[in-house]
Amino acid sequence: MQLRILGLLTGLLGLVSALSAQGSKLVVILEEESEKSKYSQFWSDLQDRGFQITYRSPKDTDLSLFLHGEPAYSHLLILPPKSKGLGPQLTPNLLVDFVNQGSNILLALSSEQPVPSAISGLLQELDITLPADRNSVVVDHFNYDTKSADEKHDVLLLPSPKFSKSETKNFFSVDKLIAMPHAVGQVLGNPSPLLASVLNAPSTAYTYNPKEEGELEDVFATGSQISLVSAFQARNSARFTVLGSAEAMEDKWFDASVQSPGAGKKSEKTGNKEFIRKLSAWTFMELGVLRVGEIRHYLNEGAQKGASNRTDVEKLDIDPTIYRIKNDVHYSVEVSEWSNTAWIPFTTPAGDDLQLEFSMLSPFHRLNLKPSSSNGVSTTYTAEFKLPDQHGIFNFFVEYRRPFYTNVEEKRTVTVRHFAHDEWPRSFVISGAYPWIGGIWVTIAGWVAFVALWLYSAPSQPKRDLKASSAGKR
C-alpha cells in the first residue's frame, strides 16, 4: 500500500514539474474535427509537456472561457475558422477579459481562410493591423520553396529570428529554415514595450490578394515592416501571440524537405517543429517567466556593517520602516527564471542591467544591481549606497520590463527622517567648520594676550610730578 502511495506521489510530482508556470489547462478552438489530424505531432508534443488539452468547436453551446467569473482555462489556442466569426462565446470583449485575468492566447491565421472581421477588430485593439483584404497573402519571389510554391511563391523560407538589441534574449532561435506557408502579414503600430515582432518578412516580400488581377496598387505592406509572428504581452504579463501561418504547425511542415531558389541550392529540412515548440512554450509561459523571491534591506553601518558577508543576518534588523538621512544601506533581491520544468537563477542578458531606484516623486538614486550569489534556484542581486540628504517617504523600487520577459515590479516603502538633536556630528569632525573654529581660538588667544599685557605692563608717570621735581632743583 505504501509503495502504491509513493508511486502516486512520484507521478504527481513528475506531472507538476512538466507544467508551465501559468497552468496546464489548454482549450483548442477547432471548427472541424477532421482538421485535428493535421496537427497530431503538435498535440503530442503539448501532451508530453504536461498540458491537458480540451478540443472545442466555436459553435459549441457549452463552450465557456470562464467558470464562476474566473478563467476556466490557462491557455487558449484558436485555429483559423471557416465561418465568418467565432461565435458568441469568443467575442473580442470576452477574449480581452480572458487576457486581462492572466490567461494566454495563441491565435493562428491562414490566407486560405478569410480572416473574420471580429479578429481584425480584436487585433486592432492590440495595435496589430491586418490587410483590409481578408484573403491577402505574403509572397516573396526570392525566398520561397521551389518544391511546393514554384508558381505562387507563397511558401516563405526564413532564417532564425534575430533581434537588433543585444539585451533582448532570443527564445525562438533555430538552426534551420522556417517555412511559413500561406502567411497573413501583420503591421505593428507605434513602438510599444507591450508589442514586439518575433519573425519579420524578408526585404523582398509584400502582401498580395490573389483575387485581384492586373498590376499591384496600394500594397498594404512590404519588406521587414511585415510581421509574420507578433507577440503582445499585457501589463499583467499575460501573453497574446499571433502566428500568421497556421500551416506552419501542421505535420506536413514539421521536418519537411524544402529548397530555396538559386543555383547550387540543396534541399534541407525545416526547423518548424523546434520553432513552433519554442513559440508555444513562450506563449504558454514555459519560457521567459521571472519570479521575485526574498527582498531585504537594512542598515549597513555600525554593528551591522558588512552583514551581507556574515552568517547571523537573521539576528540583525532586517527591513526597518525608518532610516535617517545619510545612512549607509544594503539592498538585495532574489530573482528566478522559469525554464520549461524548473526555476533557475536569472541572469540578465549581455548589455542589460537590473536596476534599483530609491525614489520619492523622482529617483534620487538609480543603481545597477550586481549579482552577488546564487543558490541554484535564484540569483541574489545587491546594491549598497548612502541615503540622500533629504527627509520624506521613499521607495525601494525595482522595475524590469524587457521584451519576452514577464514584468517585474517590486516596491518597498520606508521613511527617511532628519538627524535627532543628539545625532548631529561635532564641529571638529566637519572640515568645513575648521575656519570658524580657527577664528574662535584666534580671538580667544588674542584676548588672553591683551589681558596679560594690560595686567603686567607698568603705568607711565604723570606729567605734573615731573614739573614739581624740576622746580625743586632750582
Side-chain angles (χ1 to χ4, degrees), residues 203-450:
S203 59
T204 52
Y206 62 92
T207 59
Y208 166 70
N209 187 355
K211 294 185 178 180
E212 293 183 355
E213 297 181 357
E215 297 182 358
L216 295 175
E217 295 182 2
D218 298 330
V219 177
F220 171 71
T222 61
S224 59
Q225 68 178 166
I226 302 175
S227 177
L228 301 178
V229 181
S230 305
F232 176 87
Q233 183 167 258
R235 298 187 187 279
N236 63 352
S237 296
R239 294 168 174 177
F240 192 117
T241 302
V242 182
L243 175 61
S245 173
E247 288 83 355
M249 299 189 299
E250 294 181 359
D251 297 344
K252 174 183 177 181
W253 295 101
F254 277 19
D255 301 324
S257 179
V258 295
Q259 184 176 0
S260 301
K265 295 289 184 178
K266 297 182 179 180
S267 299
E268 57 181 304
K269 299 291 185 179
T270 67
N272 282 37
K273 185 174 183 178
E274 183 180 2
F275 176 72
I276 295 299
R277 177 186 175 87
K278 291 185 175 182
L279 182 67
S280 61
W282 181 85
T283 305
F284 300 150
M285 287 195 171
E286 296 173 87
L287 296 173
V289 180
L290 300 181
R291 181 185 67 176
V292 174
E294 188 175 27
I295 297 177
R296 287 179 172 178
H297 58 85
Y298 52 83
L299 196 64
N300 191 34
E301 60 184 40
Q304 299 194 155
K305 180 69 174 178
S308 59
N309 299 323
R310 290 159 50 178
T311 58
D312 58 346
V313 178
E314 64 277 359
K315 298 181 181 179
L316 305 176
D317 185 13
I318 304 297
D319 301 338
T321 58
I322 187 168
Y323 289 99
R324 193 206 68 213
I325 60 174
K326 296 186 178 181
N327 270 152
D328 291 324
V329 174
H330 177 93
Y331 178 90
S332 65
V333 57
E334 295 180 355
V335 186
S336 305
E337 178 181 357
W338 180 261
S339 179
N340 293 315
T341 59
W343 293 105
I344 61 174
F346 169 67
T347 303
T348 56
D352 195 15
D353 289 296
L354 184 66
Q355 292 187 325
L356 166 69
E357 290 184 359
F358 190 72
S359 61
M360 192 158 51
L361 294 177
S362 59
F364 279 69
H365 288 293
R366 183 179 287 116
L367 308 169
N368 291 336
L369 292 167
K370 302 298 183 182
S372 61
S373 61
S374 176
N375 58 9
V377 177
S378 62
T379 302
T380 301
Y381 289 84
T382 61
E384 295 180 352
F385 63 99
K386 185 181 291 292
L387 299 185
D389 188 6
Q390 174 67 46
H391 72 285
I393 306 300
F394 284 81
N395 297 308
F396 293 98
F397 185 47
V398 174
E399 184 179 27
Y400 189 78
R401 299 178 183 273
R402 298 294 186 272
F404 311 121
Y405 273 119
T406 56
N407 302 322
V408 171
E409 185 174 343
E410 293 293 334
K411 182 186 294 185
R412 297 292 186 273
T413 302
V414 295
T415 301
V416 178
R417 62 173 177 83
H418 270 307
F419 281 101
H421 71 282
D422 58 348
E423 290 180 324
W424 292 98
R426 299 299 181 182
S427 57
F428 56 80
V429 299
I430 303 176
S431 59
Y434 290 171
W436 304 96
I437 297 174
I440 291 172
W441 284 108
V442 167
T443 302
I444 293 174
W447 173 253
V448 171
F450 170 76

Side-chain angles (χ1 to χ4, degrees), residues 117-133:
S117 57
I119 290 181
S120 298
L122 170 64
L123 295 183
Q124 285 183 349
E125 295 293 330
L126 308 181
D127 212 8
I128 301 175
T129 305
L130 300 181
D133 300 324

Side-chain angles (χ1 to χ4, degrees), residues 465-474:
D465 295 340
L466 294 175
K467 290 181 180 182
S469 60
S470 61
K473 292 178 179 182
R474 290 177 184 177

